[in-house]
Amino acid sequence: SLWNLFTMTTNVLQVIGSAILLMNHGRSGNVLINTLIGFAASGALLNMVRYFRFFPKSYLLILTLRYALPKSLRFIMCATVIYLAYAVLGMALFGEGTGAFSDLGQSIQTLFSIVNGDNITAYFQAMTKASNTFVSRCYVISFIFLCMWVALNILLGVVIEGYNQAVERVKDISEGISDGEQPERGELPGGSLRERRVAREPHGGVAGRYASI
């Protein structure tokens, strides 16, 4: 599973980082050592999240990401193209007159600040000086409308849908535990408690209420 792969990767980073640290006689000033040890330590902490699956309500965040992430990634891929188009356009329109759009990387950083509502007035004034007021207004207003209002709200709707699915999944698991049927190993992340109930009682009754998720 992905959890096992993540655990193995974390362990490998720990071994490599520790070995290099020992060969360096315990001195940790090396950037490579700090990077390996840092990723290994953070990975070990993140690996503790997998144990929350034994407490379904505490595992709700991971389940939400599990349901929402595939749809979110597909949406983000499309939104990234629009975002890059605005970054290139901003670099072409305002790059010569302001450092905020001097290159592609700086343009992406500036637009990210605008999306988060940071220094919008200052950036707008800089764009006005670099070009003209009408072009600057059209650029900023259209970008805020598409990326801040439309795109972010659609993404929020996708995450909320994933959260609702995760809540329903937690309810199914909780109902199964309250009825005396413990979920099997690895059941919460991927298995289906309802399918096992239907398989055990194919003639209806209480199990007839259940369908696979």
Side-chain angles (χ1 to χ4, degrees), residues 72-153:
S72 299
L73 290 178
R74 289 193 292 267
F75 174 77
I76 290 173
M77 289 177 59
C78 180
T80 301
V81 176
I82 300 175
Y83 188 88
L84 289 176
Y86 269 93
V88 173
L89 180 61
M91 184 176 60
L93 292 176
F94 316 112
E96 296 182 358
T98 176
F101 293 90
S102 57
D103 54 39
L104 183 60
Q106 188 63 42
S107 182
I108 292 174
Q109 181 178 339
T110 299
L111 292 180
F112 185 78
S113 298
I114 292 176
V115 168
N116 287 279
D118 298 333
N119 299 323
I120 295 180
T121 302
Y123 286 130
F124 179 73
Q125 291 175 351
M127 285 185 283
T128 301
K129 294 178 181 180
S131 181
N132 61 71
T133 304
F134 178 75
V135 173
S136 302
R137 285 177 179 175
C138 291
Y139 180 83
V140 173
I141 291 174
S142 61
F143 176 75
I144 291 177
F145 176 77
L146 285 176
C147 293
M148 186 180 293
W149 293 352
V150 178
L152 289 182
N153 280 286

Side-chain angles (χ1 to χ4, degrees), residues 132-181:
N132 61 71
T133 304
F134 178 75
V135 173
S136 302
R137 285 177 179 175
C138 291
Y139 180 83
V140 173
I141 291 174
S142 61
F143 176 75
I144 291 177
F145 176 77
L146 285 176
C147 293
M148 186 180 293
W149 293 352
V150 178
L152 289 182
N153 280 286
I154 293 175
L155 183 60
L156 180 61
V158 172
V159 174
I160 290 175
E161 181 183 359
Y163 174 79
N164 292 332
Q165 292 177 340
V167 170
E168 291 297 324
R169 181 66 178 149
V170 169
K171 287 181 180 179
D172 294 337
I173 297 297
S174 300
E175 289 176 0
I177 294 176
S178 63
D179 289 342
E181 185 166 352

